[in-house]
């Protein structure tokens, strides 16, 4: 992983995005290159080549 992140997610985009599973708010976790649902389901969506992959089937479920 590069020291610099190869992409830039705007604050406006993050405000608009919602979790496709539960419609909860999304938070960008830069260190893990993931978008994390802060709503009910807590799914973690990957960012690949600077593009958020907001597909339920691609998301990681929260560890219990």
């Amino acid at each position: 992983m590069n020291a610099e992140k190869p992409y830039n997610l705007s604050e406006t985009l993050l405000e608009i995005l919602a979790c496709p599973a539960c419609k909860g708010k999304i938070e960008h976790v830069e260190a893990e290159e993931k978008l994390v649902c802060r709503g009910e389901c807590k799914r973690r969506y990957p960012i690949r080549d600077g593009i958020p992959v907001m597909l339920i089937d691609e998301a990681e479920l929260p560890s219990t």
Side-chain angles (χ1 to χ4, degrees):
M1 180 159 56
N2 292 338
E4 283 182 46
K5 66 179 182 178
Y7 59 87
N8 184 20
L9 295 178
S10 73
E11 290 298 318
T12 304
L13 175 62
L14 292 172
E15 289 174 15
I16 293 170
L17 286 177
C19 175
C22 75
K23 310 301 184 232
K25 294 228 178 244
I26 294 292
E27 179 182 328
H28 182 209
V29 179
E30 290 182 40
E32 297 177 24
E33 294 188 12
K34 301 220 184 276
L35 295 178
V36 178
C37 173
R38 295 301 178 203
E40 185 178 312
C41 74
K42 309 292 188 214
R43 283 180 166 83
R44 304 169 69 78
Y45 298 92
I47 299 172
R48 294 190 188 126
D49 298 322
I51 302 168
V53 181
M54 300 291 291
L55 299 171
I56 294 171
D57 291 344
E58 294 286 324
E60 297 173 5
L61 293 173
S63 56
T64 53

